[in-house]
């Protein structure tokens, strides 16, 4: 903790306990975030909408990050990171209640508002937790600590489709056939009402657990950290200036925007991608878990290699090259092999967030919370890039569209890892 400045009166202690507490938080918002993949399938059936409308699920969810990240930074300046994380969990609980209630009533746009509120809570939680874990120790090894958080996040994410599938999507192929074969509109609506109601109890339980977790965080020994002391501007040779005087931050914001876009494409959109080959819903509903399994393997590789054998920025560049290779592999193959290449993108993507975030906030000092908020805003890429995919695939071959969107994103990430993260910095 030698590189960490604690709040006045807080004892200096091991970083193990704070890491475990933050790990629990990453598990929670990993589970909630990666429900979006199976939720797309659920919404499409429950509300009888097309792909474009169903993809409003990730779009609205990630849009909340864009709208509320900056306000979150101001909240954190008043509450501190610890209380801010607890507040974020409370807001998520409110969103879970709203979403579960409105979905069970089959009211589409208010249900999307519930997702927006969940995303608002996550925006606050992520704006606090990501810089917290980045500056809990030396910035050069931040990717390793965030990789541990990523393992917690993606274990939850890999479980989410199976848990959701077992509770809500069991027998989805036969149900879809029943809906299509319903003799009357009333019979079809009755089936859909019963199906939609299955989501109510799981989301009420989720809300209760989030409230309990918020109370636990407030009462936990999690110390406060002062970013101005732990992430000094002198570390990068920066003397004076506002947020616009850090070009490496703004290049990082764009990099994170594109990264989240490709991550969601490989994770949430993989089911829709598989359906393009005519693969059954009973299989495509869990494809997200294969991507997350590959991400877990990528995190383990990052933990073993960074920073002992390779720097976080070099690993980012290597990951981007793998992203290009796997994307091209998905394009030149078809069926399960092509889907396998998309899932393998999880391995390429795994260490990108752990590398981009600390590189982008490095040396921001008193502006660390503001820079973190800008980076959290960039998560909106997870809503916009997949939306482009689902719109364009209506007019062009879906594999071609997938490649045309993904390869340029990975090439920019390659630039940031190789050179962009150093722009404007003067210290070694």
């Amino acid at each position: 903790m030698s590189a960490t400045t604690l709040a006045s009166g807080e004892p200096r202690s091991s970083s193990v306990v704070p890491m475990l507490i933050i790990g629990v938080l990453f598990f929670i918002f990993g589970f909630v975030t990666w429900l979006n993949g199976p939720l797309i399938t659920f919404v499409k059936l429950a509300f009888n909408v097309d792909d474009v409308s169903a993809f409003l699920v990730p779009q609205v969810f990630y849009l909340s990050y864009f709208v509320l990240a900056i306000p979150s930074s101001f909240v954190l300046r008043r509450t501190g990171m610890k209380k801010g994380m607890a507040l974020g969990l409370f807001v998520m609980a409110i969103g879970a209640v709203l979403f579960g209630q409105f979905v069970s009533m089959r009211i589409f746009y208010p249900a999307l508002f519930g997702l927006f509120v969940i995303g608002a809570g996550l925006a606050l939680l992520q704006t606090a937790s990501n810089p917290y874990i980045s500056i809990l120790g030396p910035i050069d090894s931040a990717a390793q600590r965030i990789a541990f958080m990523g393992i917690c996040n993606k274990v939850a994410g890999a479980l989410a489709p199976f848990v959701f599938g077992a509770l809500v999507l069991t027998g989805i192929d036969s149900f879809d056939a029943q809906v299509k074969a319903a003799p009357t509109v009333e019979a079809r609506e009755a089936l859909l009402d019963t199906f939609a109601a299955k989501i109510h109890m799981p989301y009420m339980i989720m809300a209760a657990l989030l409230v309990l977790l918020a109370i636990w965080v407030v009462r936990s020994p999690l110390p406060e950290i002062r970013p101005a002391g732990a992430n000094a501007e002198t570390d990068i040779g920066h003397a004076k200036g506002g947020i616009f005087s850090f070009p490496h931050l703004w290049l990082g914001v764009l990099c994170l925007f594109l990264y989240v876009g490709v991550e969601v494409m490989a994770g949430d959109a993989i089911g829709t991608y598989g359906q393009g080959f005519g693969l059954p819903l009973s299989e495509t509903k869990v494809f997200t878990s294969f991507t997350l399994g590959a991400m877990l393997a990528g995190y383990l590789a990052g933990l073993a290699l960074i920073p002992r054998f390779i720097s976080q920025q070099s690993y980012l560049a290597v990951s981007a090259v793998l992203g290009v290779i796997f994307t091209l592999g998905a394009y030149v193959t078809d069926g399960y092999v092509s889907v396998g290449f998309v899932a393998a993108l999880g391995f390429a993507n795994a260490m990108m967030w752990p590398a981009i975030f600390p590189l982008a906030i490095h040396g921001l000092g008193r502006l660390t919370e503001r820079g973190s908020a800008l980076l959290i805003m960039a998560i909106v890429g997870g809503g916009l890039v997949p939306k482009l995919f689902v719109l364009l695939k209506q007019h062009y071959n879906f594999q071609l569209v997938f490649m045309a969107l993904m390869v340029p994103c990975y090439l920019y990430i390659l630039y940031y890892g190789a050179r962009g993260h150093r722009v404007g910095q003067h210290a070694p």
Side-chain angles (χ1 to χ4, degrees), residues 60-62 64-65 68 91-92 114-124:
V60 167
F61 185 84
Y62 289 111
S64 63
Y65 285 97
L68 294 164
V91 174
M92 287 175 65
L115 279 181
F116 184 87
V117 175
I118 293 174
L122 278 169
L124 183 55

Side-chain angles (χ1 to χ4, degrees), residues 275-340:
Q275 290 165 26
F277 294 113
L279 303 180
L281 284 174
S282 58
E283 295 180 6
T284 60
K285 71 179 183 181
V286 296
F287 279 176
T288 294
S289 292
F290 299 134
T291 301
L292 295 175
M295 291 192 83
L296 284 174
Y299 283 127
L300 292 174
L303 280 172
L305 297 173
I306 300 173
R308 184 177 304 171
F309 300 106
I310 186 172
S311 68
Q312 53 195 12
Q313 55 266 33
S314 296
Y315 200 99
L316 176 60
V318 171
S319 297
V321 171
L322 286 177
V324 173
I325 293 171
F326 292 154
T327 300
L328 294 176
Y331 178 68
V332 299
T333 57
D334 56 27
Y336 290 104
V337 176
S338 182
V339 170

Side-chain angles (χ1 to χ4, degrees), residues 134 137-145 306-308 310-313 358-359 362 428:
S134 294
I139 199 76
D140 290 341
S141 60
Q144 190 178 54
R145 293 189 297 280
I306 300 173
R308 184 177 304 171
I310 186 172
S311 68
Q312 53 195 12
Q313 55 266 33
L359 289 173
H362 187 202

Side-chain angles (χ1 to χ4, degrees), residues 45-94:
L45 285 176
F47 293 97
N48 194 27
V49 295
D50 59 14
D51 281 340
V52 174
S53 295
F55 267 74
L56 285 172
V57 167
Q59 185 178 6
V60 167
F61 185 84
Y62 289 111
L63 183 63
S64 63
Y65 285 97
F66 181 79
V67 174
L68 294 164
I70 291 294
S72 294
S73 70
F74 291 112
V75 171
L76 292 173
R77 298 280 289 185
R78 296 183 66 86
T79 65
M81 291 186 174
K82 180 177 178 178
K83 291 181 180 178
M85 293 178 205
L87 180 59
L89 290 166
F90 275 117
V91 174
M92 287 175 65
I94 294 170

Side-chain angles (χ1 to χ4, degrees), residues 17 23 40 72 101 113 120 187 204-205 219 248 268 314 323 353 362 398 425:
V17 172
I40 292 171
S72 294
Q101 185 62 39
F113 177 72
M204 296 305 110
I205 294 173
R219 296 183 176 181
H248 74 286
D268 286 349
S314 296
W353 179 290
H362 187 202
F398 73 96
Q425 299 186 22

